[in-house]
Amino acid sequence: MSRRNACRSRGSRANGCGTAQSTRGLACGSATHEEETWHPARLIPVAGIKGQDEQERRATSVLLAVMGAVPKFGHALVCPLGAPRGRIRSFAEIQLQDGDGKTHIPDGAIVVERASKEWRALVEVKTSRADLAPDQVNRYLEMARDHGFDCLITISNQITSSHDESPVSVDRRKTRRVRMFHLSWWAIVTEAVLQHRFRGIEDPDQAWILGELIAYLDHENAGAGGFQDMGDRWVRVRDSARQGTLRATDPEVRVIAERWEHFLDYLALGLSQDLGRDVVPARPRKQAPAARVDLLCQGLVSGGELTGGLRVPDTIAPLDLSIDLRARQVTTSVRVDAPADGRPNSQLDSPSAPTGVS
């Protein structure tokens, strides 16, 4: 799945000419042919990243620093998690001791202060294809509780339907005093694009800094991607569905159903970046994620289909999506109800016809 180029060069401020940096006093707009092949200097460079650990350290430090430098962006990320709208301070690679006196180094911490109120979050970050480790997350939950943090925030490329859902299983007894939230990198990029391109950052310096964050996270070296693919079990499930041999007891069925849920969230966030509106998957509000996956598994086994929808603000109806693995067809459709009044021959009596792509 290709990554989206999220306003890579927007917000550049040098001399008002839209380039990241002028060269030897050349007038704006008079760049030579040679300059057209040069890479612009960036506030946050992606060169020189060596290994997974360095990638995670740099991504953590960059994100937390920009959250403090651009408060509107920072508040958009942490206020829905319970933080007050106050001054944001952030720290990378903090040292904490567990109950046995052993020192651990979580990726970061966020402190938000407003008047006499202080909100503190412990942060654990993964990049690229590295997934969150349940043992590590459970350990950090304990440490967050013991050190007086309000919550643990996990960040990775694993996409969830909301920040209240976690891609890992945890002991829920540990979340009674300390809450846990999850943010995908794709959701973070989406919020940055919405703030930068559509909602607007009034301070030009802050707008430029946010644009540099977007440019950094958009680069493949940053390790902050979106949905990659349907996983290594996709081919087997696809072929079994076409042959009608797929069984509900096959462990791959649930894996693919969960990946489809993530793909719908990825599509919704991508449309949000394009439209500047909060696009969300069309799902029953009170239906638990496990129940949604159960229904997807049933449809995959019985009919070889994966279905879902996207809800775009101010549109007439949700956009329905269906993948028929047996027919090898992808269908998108919008259902429009016929008018209830007027003469019979003036009423539209059938839904809009779906479009198929084999």
Side-chain angles (χ1 to χ4, degrees):
M1 185 62 62
S2 61
R3 302 265 310 279
R4 192 177 305 276
N5 187 348
C7 57
R8 183 184 299 273
S9 62
R10 298 176 188 269
S12 184
R13 63 173 185 174
N15 300 325
C17 63
T19 58
Q21 186 177 31
S22 60
T23 304
R24 294 186 179 275
L26 289 176
C28 180
S30 62
T32 65
H33 175 71
E34 184 182 42
E35 287 181 81
E36 294 177 358
T37 62
W38 295 356
H39 296 288
R42 311 251 40 145
L43 176 68
I44 311 168
V46 293
I49 299 177
K50 300 176 182 179
Q52 180 76 30
D53 291 341
E54 183 176 349
Q55 189 182 66
E56 289 179 2
R57 287 195 299 269
R58 190 178 298 195
T60 302
S61 184
V62 165
L63 172 63
L64 297 185
V66 173
M67 288 175 62
V70 187
K72 186 176 179 181
F73 169 66
H75 292 152
L77 293 181
V78 299
C79 287
L81 312 184
R85 195 171 295 274
R87 183 169 72 99
I88 298 175
R89 295 187 294 126
S90 55
F91 307 86
E93 294 192 306
I94 65 173
Q95 296 187 10
L96 297 175
Q97 289 187 340
D98 60 18
D100 298 326
K102 183 179 179 180
T103 299
H104 298 265
I105 306 179
D107 291 314
I110 302 171
V111 178
V112 184
E113 298 171 321
R114 183 175 182 180
S116 60
K117 183 176 182 180
E118 182 180 88
W119 179 89
R120 305 199 311 161
L122 197 62
V123 180
E124 170 60 15
V125 176
K126 298 295 182 184
T127 56
S128 295
R129 291 184 177 270
D131 290 341
L132 294 163
D135 291 344
Q136 187 180 42
V137 171
N138 277 281
R139 182 170 66 251
Y140 283 165
L141 267 174
E142 293 177 357
M143 297 179 67
R145 178 198 61 200
D146 294 341
H147 289 271
F149 285 87
D150 294 278
C151 68
L152 170 67
I153 301 175
T154 58
I155 301 174
S156 72
N157 284 322
Q158 297 161 278
I159 300 177
T160 57
S161 301
S162 71
H163 55 251
D164 292 313
E165 296 179 15
S166 174
V168 298
S169 298
V170 298
D171 186 347
R172 289 300 172 186
R173 292 174 298 180
K174 298 178 181 179
T175 61
R176 292 174 182 173
R177 291 175 51 191
V178 178
R179 298 194 64 184
M180 186 174 75
F181 303 103
H182 178 73
L183 297 174
S184 69
W185 281 112
W186 193 236
I188 291 171
V189 170
T190 299
E191 186 59 47
V193 171
L194 291 176
Q195 294 286 346
H196 190 262
R197 292 181 55 188
F198 298 100
R199 296 169 185 167
I201 303 295
E202 295 180 358
D203 185 283
D205 290 335
Q206 292 184 17
W208 179 68
I209 291 173
L210 188 57
E212 290 295 291
L213 173 67
I214 295 170
Y216 174 80
L217 295 180
D218 184 60
H219 198 282
E220 60 182 6
N221 289 355
F227 186 88
Q228 300 296 327
D229 51 48
M230 290 294 288
D232 56 1
R233 306 186 187 187
W234 167 249
V235 173
R236 184 183 184 280
V237 171
R238 180 198 64 191
D239 294 343
S240 298
R242 289 175 180 173
Q243 298 163 7
T245 59
L246 200 61
R247 296 173 298 178
T249 55
D250 293 339
E252 294 86 356
V253 172
R254 192 166 191 87
V255 172
I256 295 304
E258 291 173 346
R259 294 293 293 175
W260 172 251
E261 280 276 279
H262 300 163
F263 180 61
L264 290 176
D265 289 306
Y266 169 77
L267 286 179
L269 291 170
L271 275 178
S272 297
Q273 294 182 28
D274 290 337
L275 302 177
R277 306 297 299 276
D278 292 324
V279 181
V280 297
R283 294 165 176 154
R285 293 183 179 179
K286 296 184 179 180
Q287 190 177 49
R292 295 198 306 264
V293 174
D294 288 340
L295 290 177
L296 287 171
C297 291
Q298 294 175 16
L300 193 54
V301 172
S302 62
E305 287 186 306
L306 289 168
T307 59
L310 299 175
R311 197 180 306 277
V312 182
D314 299 328
T315 55
I316 194 169
L319 174 65
D320 295 323
L321 306 174
S322 174
I323 294 182
D324 189 335
L325 298 180
R326 295 178 181 176
R328 303 187 182 188
Q329 189 175 58
V330 177
T331 303
T332 61
S333 62
V334 175
R335 183 179 183 86
V336 181
D337 293 331
D341 53 0
R343 298 189 304 273
N345 60 357
S346 67
Q347 295 179 359
L348 180 63
D349 206 14
S350 61
S352 60
T355 59
V357 179
S358 60

